[in-house]
Amino acid sequence: MTSQPQQDRRVAIVTGGSRGIGRQVAQRLAADGFAVVVGYAGNKDAADDVVAGIEAAGGTAYAARADVADEAEVTALFDLAEATYGGVDAVVHAAGRMPLSPVAELDLGELDALYRTNIRGTFVVDQQAARRLRPGGALVNFSSSVVGLAFPGYGAYAASKGAVEALTLILARELRGRDVTVNAVAPGPTATDLFLDGKDEETVARLAGQAPLERLGTPEDIANVVAFLTGREGHWVNGQVLRANGGII
Ligand SMILES: NC(=O)c1ccc[n+]([C@@H]2O[C@H](COP(=O)([O-])OP(=O)(O)OC[C@H]3O[C@@H](n4cnc5c(N)ncnc54)[C@H](OP(=O)(O)O)[C@@H]3O)[C@@H](O)[C@H]2O)c1
């Protein structure tokens, strides 16, 4: 348990908190004093491991399974956060998938499944966030720099993230008067399962070399940006898409 008094403790829900960027965000926000709900889809052991790490470092967290596209499960996730910790101050929606295929060969069943997670999932999570975030709160969605980079093979995925960007900008305006910010972070290539799975060493090295900073992003790089946006010092940033990618163009 953290020593922070309960009434001052801010509360974060991190979807996709079991792995990759979301995992690092959960750890970072816990270190920053948030009580954290670590959302996951299927990897209970990984989510429990994140919680154990947070608790070992003196933080507060629990793991909760919810398919982000299932409104009943996401509603229950938010209900549990409110019941356990008293409210919600930050929602970081990092859950996402990235199947790649040239458009001509794209399996449309796979397209539907991708859009269910990446687009419907973002609407479901954002809807709950819009209803429940307390004043001073922050919602962070995840887009991708590939929306601008337009790499071949990324058509379905980039289009799903284009939808996330559009939703983010509109929701920021719909929440006028609530003192809640809505932004998206758009990482470039970042060393997680989502990026590395299925790529050979040469492809990884080529993409790593594309940014002027000449390396892949790390989950820590991205968690730093999220920590700023969800922290009090980042609260003047609203309705933006932050391309956190080492300068890749
Ligand atoms: N890595 C990159 O290069 C990169 C670049 C640009 C944008 N992004 C975006 O950044 C976000 C995080 O990506 P990542 O690289 O950290 O991915 P990752 O390592 O593959 O982790 C994905 C996370 O999403 C969860 N998840 C997947 N489908 C879900 C569903 N239907 N419901 C709930 N949770 C679900 C997974 O849970 P389980 O562990 O339970 O499966 C896991 O925690 C994504 O939105 C991604 O599109 C990543």
Side-chain angles (χ1 to χ4, degrees), residues 106-236:
L106 183 64
D107 176 334
L108 295 175
E110 182 59 42
L111 180 78
D112 290 342
L114 172 67
Y115 286 1
R116 180 175 161 78
T117 299
N118 286 14
I119 301 181
R120 187 179 208 281
T122 304
F123 272 89
V124 169
V125 171
D126 283 18
Q127 194 168 53
Q128 290 300 319
R131 292 174 185 166
R132 307 211 205 195
L133 275 166
R134 294 192 284 210
L139 167 61
V140 179
N141 286 324
F142 271 84
S143 178
S144 166
S145 290
V146 82
V147 172
L149 295 168
F151 291 152
Y154 286 73
Y157 174 72
S160 77
K161 295 302 189 179
V164 170
E165 291 193 10
L167 168 60
T168 299
L169 304 192
I170 288 169
L171 188 55
R173 286 150 184 84
E174 288 185 355
L175 296 190
R176 170 180 290 274
R178 290 272 307 279
D179 192 24
V180 166
T181 64
V182 186
N183 294 290
V185 176
T190 306
T192 68
D193 295 345
L194 176 136
F195 170 75
L196 295 168
D197 280 358
K199 292 190 177 72
D200 57 32
E201 264 181 49
E202 195 190 327
T203 306
V204 171
R206 181 172 48 77
L207 289 165
Q210 245 172 313
L213 296 188
E214 293 191 315
R215 63 171 176 83
L216 293 179
T218 64
E220 290 83 356
D221 290 324
I222 308 305
N224 289 340
V225 177
V226 173
F228 174 68
L229 290 174
T230 53
R232 300 191 201 283
E233 291 179 356
H235 201 62
W236 192 237

